[in-house]
Amino acid sequence: MRVHSLTWPEYAERIHDHLVVLPIGAIEAHGPHLPLGTDSILAGHLADQLATRVPALVLPPLAYGFKTDPLRAGGEFPGMTNLRATTMTGVVQDILTASYRHGARRFVILHGHIANTAAVFDAADIFLTQAPDARIMAAAWWDFAPEDTRNEIAAETGVPRTEDHHAALVETSLTMHVAPEDVRAHLLADDDVPRRPSYLILPAPEDTKTKTGVIYRASKATSEIGARLMPAIIDNLTEAVKTELAS
């Protein structure tokens, strides 16, 4: 149940015995074929699906996220709009605190953007010092994607896991399944860089930047692959929530 469609009496009636779910995404380049809000789309979908399985109130998605380092994002591109770590930590902490003040005690944070992980942890950690009876679970879609299925997809498509990261095969396939109207399938791209350092170097050298923001293979993405993965992700997420946050 989405909070933004409830009245305050309806919200007050449910907040004490429902999970509160906060989807968090980012606004950043995902190649020429996926929208800037891809991470929010996927996080929001997971939140809505979880709310069909367990009693949950889904907060409006936090669309902005923490900045990805340029090597992991393939460079810097127009449209990338990020929060500083201190800003994001404060915003998430404020949202948790408000929900707690209204009566929530169990929280799920679903983020679709790996750079958010540390800021989300920091916000939750600070929040819990003031709300010791609260419980928080934070996770992303890739935490629940079955490893055997991902390995099978890699073998079937010929795209190894080392080539399947940001805006690539699996993320694109999931978006094709969840929001096909937002995918420019005719622009699916593969990309590469001359050099892939394992460490951070700033400013990012030119030979570490992609031309498209795809890391590194998206051309074989299909909605069928997304449909194969997403139900299992939702099942595994639901089971984890029931295990960790049973009332």
Side-chain angles (χ1 to χ4, degrees):
M1 186 174 302
R2 294 182 176 182
V3 164
H4 73 258
S5 65
L6 297 177
T7 65
W8 74 260
E10 292 167 342
Y11 173 89
E13 182 182 354
R14 293 166 173 81
I15 189 68
H16 294 275
D17 58 1
H18 280 54
L19 296 173
V20 167
V21 184
L22 174 61
I24 306 178
I27 299 296
E28 68 172 17
H30 281 75
H33 60 288
L34 293 179
L36 295 167
T38 292
D39 296 334
S40 298
I41 290 170
L42 294 178
H45 179 78
L46 286 187
D48 287 339
Q49 290 301 307
L50 177 63
T52 68
R53 310 284 190 93
V54 299
L57 298 180
V58 179
L59 298 174
L62 179 55
Y64 295 98
F66 185 55
K67 185 175 183 177
T68 306
D69 78 68
L71 274 67
R72 187 183 289 272
E76 298 195 42
F77 299 87
M80 300 174 90
T81 307
N82 309 286
L83 301 178
R84 291 173 294 171
T86 52
T87 302
M88 183 171 180
T89 297
V91 169
V92 174
Q93 185 184 352
D94 286 351
I95 293 170
L96 295 174
T97 299
S99 299
Y100 180 85
R101 188 169 61 246
H102 299 148
R105 292 297 182 268
R106 295 174 297 144
F107 300 85
V108 180
I109 300 175
L110 295 174
H111 59 92
H113 179 59
I114 195 168
N116 288 342
T117 304
V120 166
F121 166 76
D122 197 32
D125 189 49
I126 296 169
F127 165 71
L128 285 172
T129 64
Q130 302 166 2
D133 57 338
R135 285 180 290 163
I136 302 175
M137 175 180 169
W141 64 259
W142 52 85
D143 294 319
F144 304 105
E147 287 295 307
D148 55 350
T149 305
R150 290 207 64 180
N151 289 335
E152 290 167 4
I153 290 168
E156 292 165 9
T157 59
V159 178
R161 299 280 294 273
T162 55
E163 302 290 299
D164 184 15
H165 298 291
H166 178 76
L169 175 68
V170 165
E171 187 172 32
T172 298
S173 295
L174 290 172
T175 310
M176 286 176 143
H177 171 62
V178 169
E181 68 281 1
D182 290 327
V183 181
R184 287 69 165 170
H186 64 290
L187 295 177
L188 288 176
D190 290 339
D191 210 332
D192 209 340
V193 290
R195 187 162 63 97
R196 304 183 188 181
S198 59
Y199 46 83
L200 177 64
I201 176 70
L202 296 175
E206 288 302 316
D207 62 353
T208 67
K209 298 178 182 179
T210 65
K211 292 182 173 60
T212 64
V214 176
I215 316 290
Y216 294 99
R217 305 280 177 264
S219 64
K220 294 188 178 180
T222 66
S223 59
E224 289 75 19
I225 291 173
R228 186 169 160 189
L229 277 169
M230 187 57 83
I233 291 171
I234 294 166
D235 286 346
N236 292 340
L237 166 63
T238 303
E239 287 307 307
V241 168
K242 289 179 178 178
T243 297
E244 305 298 344
L245 297 177
S247 58

